[in-house]
Every structure is written in C-alpha cells, then in structure tokens.
Amino acid sequence: MQLCENCLSVTRDTSGAPGHPGLRIVDTRRSRIPGSVTVTISTFRCQECGAIWRYREAKDNGPKGWALVPDEGTGSE
Ligand SMILES: [Zn+2]
C-alpha cells in the first residue's frame, strides 16, 4: 500500500497528535479495564489512499496515539 502525503505526515505513537483531514472514522471502541483505566480505540480510513489507522487513547503504559494498521489482505475464510 502506498501512503498518501497526508498519511506520511501523521505523527505516530504520540498522544494528542492530530490525524489529517482525509481520515474518516469508521469505528470506536471503548473498554474499561476493571480497577484500571478506560481504553478508547478509534479506527479511521484514509479517503485518499485507503490506509487504515488506529488511534489509541488510554492513561496506561501501553501504546498511544496513531498506529498504522497492517493491510490484512485477502483473507481466505
Ligand atoms: Zn492516506
């Protein structure tokens, strides 16, 4: 997959980093870890190049911010 210029400019793994205007949200999941933190994971698709991005928000030591989701290719289900 060839990333568009906007996707290439997205700052990864940084909480609070902005995405870009071509990203459209496709999914949001919020889960609370009992006795711990709330984790919010939003999934976006780039309208320009089709890249899938995930934004993870949580006050824990896990990854934060933008991460590119690998193209899962053609599943053979
Ligand atoms: Zn893109």
Side-chain angles (χ1 to χ4, degrees):
M1 187 199 319
Q2 190 78 30
L3 292 178
C4 68
E5 277 186 32
N6 282 336
C7 282
L8 287 172
S9 72
V10 171
T11 302
R12 305 187 195 192
D13 303 319
T14 302
S15 183
H20 71 71
L23 295 176
R24 289 289 176 272
I25 193 163
V26 293
D27 187 45
T28 301
R29 289 162 199 263
R30 187 168 293 141
S31 54
R32 186 159 50 177
I33 302 168
S36 184
V37 298
T38 300
V39 177
T40 305
I41 296 177
S42 301
T43 306
F44 297 79
R45 175 186 290 272
C46 175
Q47 302 218 301
E48 295 181 46
C49 68
I52 306 293
W53 288 89
R54 198 163 282 164
Y55 187 90
R56 185 181 187 278
E57 184 87 66
K59 289 182 170 57
D60 63 3
N61 294 322
K64 294 182 184 65
W66 294 100
L68 195 58
V69 178
D71 189 352
E72 281 159 17
T74 55
S76 55
E77 288 184 26

